[in-house]
């Protein structure tokens, strides 16, 4: 009896076809796995970027809120005193008392005249000692709290109409605050917060 009849040949061919099909399926599965892994890696990188941007935005908002709060505090203290003649005192979280002078004068303004010029070495000018402060924020806001940040706060008081010699009791108060010893206006740190308010007696 022959072992190489038509039936045996068909069985061999089917076996070869099944083996080829299985090998092909294995190859496709591996390619699909690689593609899926690549897509997952790309998505992960994108998510990491979004998380970084979210952290940066949160940090900027926190700094901006504190800067604005400090600028508002100076404006409120100026408004609560007899502006042009009196002084006020603001105490920071570390227990440091900062005198707020309301006499015309103070920190220099920028070229546009609409914000404080932080390039000025204001600490070197004795006449401006009460027109700036390094406000310390602690967590919690107590003397024994952990230092979180130091904010450079400066202000200017201008007598409106003084240039023309006309009598006036109206003042333009410009206050700017920024996080000290850090960059500003970038991804992680906001630009200085500035408030300009007209005040009078």
């Amino acid at each position: 009896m022959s072992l190489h009849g038509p039936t045996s040949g068909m069985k061999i061919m089917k076996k070869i076809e099944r083996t080829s099909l299985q090998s092909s399926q294995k190859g496709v599965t591996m390619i699909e796995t690689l593609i899926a892994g690549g897509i997952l890696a790309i998505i992960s990188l994108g998510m990491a970027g979004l998380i970084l941007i979210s952290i940066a935005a949160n940090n900027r908002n926190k700094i901006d809120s504190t800067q604005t709060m400090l600028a508002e505090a100076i404006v409120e203290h100026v408004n609560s005193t007899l502006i042009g003649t009196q002084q006020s005192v603001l105490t920071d979280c570390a227990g440091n008392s900062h005198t707020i002078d309301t006499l015309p004068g103070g920190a220099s303004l920028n070229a546009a005249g609409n914000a404080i010029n932080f390039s000025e070495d204001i600490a070197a000018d004795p006449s401006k000692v009460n027109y700036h402060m390094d406000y310390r924020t602690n967590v919690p806001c107590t003397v024994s709290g952990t230092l979180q940040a130091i904010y450079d706060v400066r202000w200017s008081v201008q007598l409106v109409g003084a240039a023309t010699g006309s009598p006036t009791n109206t003042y333009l108060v410009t206050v700017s605050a920024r996080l000290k010893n850090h960059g500003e206006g970038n991804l992680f740190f906001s630009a200085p917060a500035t408030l300009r308010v007209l005040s009078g007696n």
Side-chain angles (χ1 to χ4, degrees):
M1 183 176 179
S2 176
L3 297 175
H4 302 286
T7 303
S8 297
M10 290 178 65
K11 289 181 179 179
I12 293 172
M13 289 298 294
K14 288 181 179 180
K15 185 175 181 180
I16 293 173
E17 288 177 358
R18 283 199 300 269
T19 303
S20 299
L21 182 60
Q22 289 174 356
S23 299
S24 176
Q25 289 175 343
K26 288 180 180 179
V28 170
T29 302
M30 186 176 295
I31 292 173
E32 289 175 345
T33 302
L34 291 173
I35 292 174
I39 293 173
L40 182 61
I42 293 172
I43 293 174
S44 298
L45 289 174
M47 290 298 294
L50 289 175
I51 292 172
L52 178 62
I53 292 173
S54 177
I55 293 173
N58 184 60
N59 187 64
R60 280 174 55 93
N61 292 338
K62 182 178 180 180
I63 293 171
D64 192 50
S65 297
T66 305
Q67 291 175 164
T68 303
M69 177 197 70
L70 290 173
E72 289 175 344
I74 296 297
V75 170
E76 290 174 3
H77 273 262
V78 169
N79 284 333
S80 66
T81 62
L82 186 60
I83 187 171
T85 60
Q86 301 294 322
Q87 294 179 335
S88 181
V89 176
L90 179 64
T91 303
D92 63 18
C93 293
N96 301 313
S97 296
H98 304 280
T99 301
I100 301 171
D101 209 332
T102 67
L103 289 170
S108 299
L109 301 178
N110 59 12
N114 57 8
I116 298 297
N117 176 20
F118 279 101
S119 65
E120 176 190 17
D121 185 8
I122 194 170
D125 190 342
S127 67
K128 300 181 179 182
V129 65
N130 293 329
Y131 292 93
H132 71 96
M133 65 178 178
D134 286 343
Y135 190 97
R136 300 169 68 92
T137 58
N138 294 348
V139 179
C141 189
T142 61
V143 176
S144 60
T146 302
L147 176 64
Q148 184 181 40
I150 300 176
Y151 289 86
D152 183 0
V153 187
R154 307 182 186 190
W155 56 96
S156 168
V157 180
Q158 297 171 282
L159 186 62
V160 177
T164 61
S166 59
T168 179
N169 64 344
T170 302
Y171 300 84
L172 175 61
V173 182
T174 304
V175 186
S176 292
R178 68 169 183 172
L179 183 63
K180 193 170 184 178
N181 299 326
H182 286 79
E184 58 186 49
N186 54 37
L187 181 63
F188 291 94
F189 302 103
S190 62
T194 299
L195 296 179
R196 307 189 77 204
V197 179
L198 286 172
S199 183
N201 301 324

